[in-house]
Every structure is written in structure tokens, then in C-alpha cells.
Amino acid sequence: MLKWNVIYEEDSFFNALTSSSSVVATAQMGISNLFVKKDAQREAFEQGDRPARVALADYAARVMTDILLPEKQRQEPFLMEVLYNKQQHLQYGPTRRTYSPLVPFIFERTDVWCRENILHVSFRVTKNAKTNASEEDKVRENIVHHFLSNLYHQISTSKAMVHIACNVLQDNIRNVIKQKAAIAFIANGSILPRKSGASQQPMSSPPAIPFQAPNNSGTMTPTTILIPMGALQAYLPSSSAISISLSKDGLVSITGLMIPEGK
């Protein structure tokens, strides 16, 4: 059974699609549908409040973007795409490569977002120039529902919870360092160099040396901060090079270098 509710009336939607080159469809779904029989995940998600909702929308947008890559739709009668579709082009000698429109950071989108307990998604549907009338009649009634059903089943709550926990941790760290009149915090074990100028991935170690806060830098000495994470601490990745200590009361402790204002 379809979990999504298409906000626009089907008849109006497909009439517009017939008479113009493309239309935008909007759908919404209760977030609780993602956490059926997963009460622990749902309760942890709710504790994350707004940063958790932003991260869930970001994760859903990444899944949607992967589903709607143009190369996966070349033979489809209808082409579908995300509204935010910024591709990166880089030149390597004679080769010009096009990268995924996914950005390496989380930001609040206007095409995929969470409001209260509802996940909203908007996307564009365009008729393929090669589509004939018989093909159009066969698929146009199901095109939106088929995509939304696929999106629902592709959203992995286990992966989403890791994404959410990491975003909430970052947001809470920013709040803590602001309270301590600092501008940055670098955790011990962090790999600061990137894999390459075209990558957001960390360099392999070795040769990269994991960061370690020095003990002889005056006011900037190793500092341990406590980050309130609640039940979300259970979903933080354990494979990270950064040492994170968990506690029964939901506090996460991280040691590193706190950089105060004016330094």
C-alpha cells in the first residue's frame, strides 16, 4: 500500500503533463511510516528535534537523487528529476567528468523537507521526446506512484539514523563551543588532509597523520567536551578514527583541541 499522499489531484497533474513539457509534483508522507515496528529508532529520532528532521530530509534527497540519475532513465517514457540539480564539472587533462549533484554537506532544501511529522518531496516530471502515445497511456497513470513507492522502499532507516546522529552531533558540538566562547573544535584522530583536490574524502592514513592536540600550546591544550545526544548516541558510527566515549546518561565525550575566539 502506498505510504505517500500526492498533494496535486491526479487528473489535473496529468492534464498539465500532457499539455506542457514538464510539471512539478509534490507528495507528503507521515514520518511514522518509516519507523513501523522500529520504536527505538523513532524515539531517538524525535529526541533529535529540528536537526534530526533536517538530516532526514537530506538523506531522503540523496536517495531520491540516486534513483533519478539520468543514466538510469534513458529508456523510460517519462523523465523525472530533483529540483535542485547542481552538477559539478571538473577537467582532468582531455577528460571532463560530471559528478553527482549531491553536495558533501547538509543544508535545508526547499524541494525535500520535514515539517513537524511530515516528509515532503517535490520533483519534476518531463515527457521523453521519444515517447509515443501508446506508451504514454500505459504508464502515465502510475509514473508518480511507482517512483514514490520506490523511494519509500529505498530509504534505509538504519543508514538514515547514522546520518541523523552525525548531524545532530555536529549541531550539538557547535552549540557547546559557542557557549565556551570558541570558534572551532578539532577532535583527536581527525584526518585533516583530503584525498585529493576533487574529493571530500579524508586522505588514507598513512601517509596522513591523525590529528592530536598538543600539550604545550599555552591556552590551547587538550580539552574534553561533553555532548548531549540522548538515545541518538547508539547510532553514531563506531568505525570512526575519532575516539568517542558513550555514557548511560546520553552524554558523548570527545577530546581534542578547542580554539578560543581571538586565537
Side-chain angles (χ1 to χ4, degrees):
M1 184 177 180
L2 188 69
K3 307 292 184 182
W4 297 89
N5 173 42
V6 180
I7 297 175
Y8 298 144
E9 291 290 335
E10 265 192 36
D11 291 342
S12 300
F13 174 83
F14 287 114
N15 286 339
L17 186 60
T18 301
S19 61
S20 64
S21 59
S22 67
V23 292
V24 173
T26 303
Q28 60 186 17
M29 176 183 66
I31 293 174
S32 59
N33 285 297
L34 296 173
F35 298 110
V36 175
K37 297 182 180 180
K38 300 175 182 177
D39 291 343
Q41 289 184 351
R42 178 181 54 78
E43 292 173 5
F45 169 78
E46 291 174 350
Q47 288 180 19
D49 201 27
R50 184 171 174 272
R53 294 195 296 270
V54 171
L56 176 61
D58 180 84
Y59 177 79
R62 291 168 186 273
V63 174
M64 185 170 76
T65 299
D66 183 66
I67 292 175
L68 298 183
L69 287 175
E71 55 266 31
K72 295 183 179 181
Q73 303 184 77
R74 287 173 180 167
Q75 304 303 318
E76 296 296 328
F78 293 89
L79 305 179
M80 307 179 72
E81 62 179 339
V82 294
L83 301 187
Y84 180 85
N85 192 23
K86 181 180 179 182
Q87 293 184 328
Q88 299 175 1
H89 303 280
L90 292 176
Q91 186 81 29
Y92 285 100
T95 305
R96 189 170 188 259
R97 299 178 182 177
T98 299
Y99 289 82
S100 166
L102 296 179
V103 293
F105 49 82
I106 293 177
F107 69 105
E108 291 191 71
R109 304 170 63 118
T110 56
D111 57 342
V112 184
W113 76 98
C114 289
R115 179 174 297 168
E116 300 301 330
N117 297 315
I118 304 295
L119 174 63
H120 303 258
V121 299
S122 297
F123 47 93
R124 180 176 289 105
V125 184
T126 306
K127 285 198 297 185
N128 192 327
K130 299 179 181 179
T131 303
N132 58 49
S134 61
E135 288 178 324
E136 181 178 324
D137 291 339
K138 290 177 183 178
V139 302
R140 70 176 185 173
E141 297 299 326
N142 298 318
I143 183 66
V144 173
H145 287 179
H146 174 73
F147 160 66
L148 292 173
S149 178
N150 189 19
L151 176 60
Y152 170 77
H153 289 100
Q154 289 291 326
I155 295 177
S156 165
T157 54
S158 59
K159 293 180 180 179
M161 289 304 293
V162 173
H163 193 70
I164 290 166
C166 289
N167 185 56
V168 172
L169 177 65
Q170 293 175 34
D171 193 74
N172 289 346
I173 288 175
R174 294 186 186 100
N175 291 334
V176 168
I177 65 176
K178 184 177 180 180
Q179 294 169 5
K180 294 182 178 295
I183 60 170
F185 177 81
I186 307 174
N188 287 347
S190 299
I191 302 294
L192 302 183
R194 300 297 88 188
K195 188 175 182 179
S196 72
S199 173
Q200 295 295 328
Q201 298 299 313
M203 183 184 292
S204 299
S205 177
I209 300 174
F211 175 82
Q212 195 71 24
N215 289 308
N216 57 351
S217 57
T219 58
M220 293 190 291
T221 57
T223 303
T224 298
I225 58 175
L226 297 177
I227 311 299
M229 286 295 293
L232 277 172
Q233 69 171 5
Y235 300 97
L236 291 171
S238 58
S239 59
S240 173
I242 298 174
S243 178
I244 297 177
S245 299
L246 311 180
S247 65
K248 293 182 179 180
D249 55 2
L251 289 175
V252 173
S253 63
I254 308 175
T255 300
L257 181 66
M258 184 80 74
I259 305 176
E261 294 177 352
K263 297 295 180 181

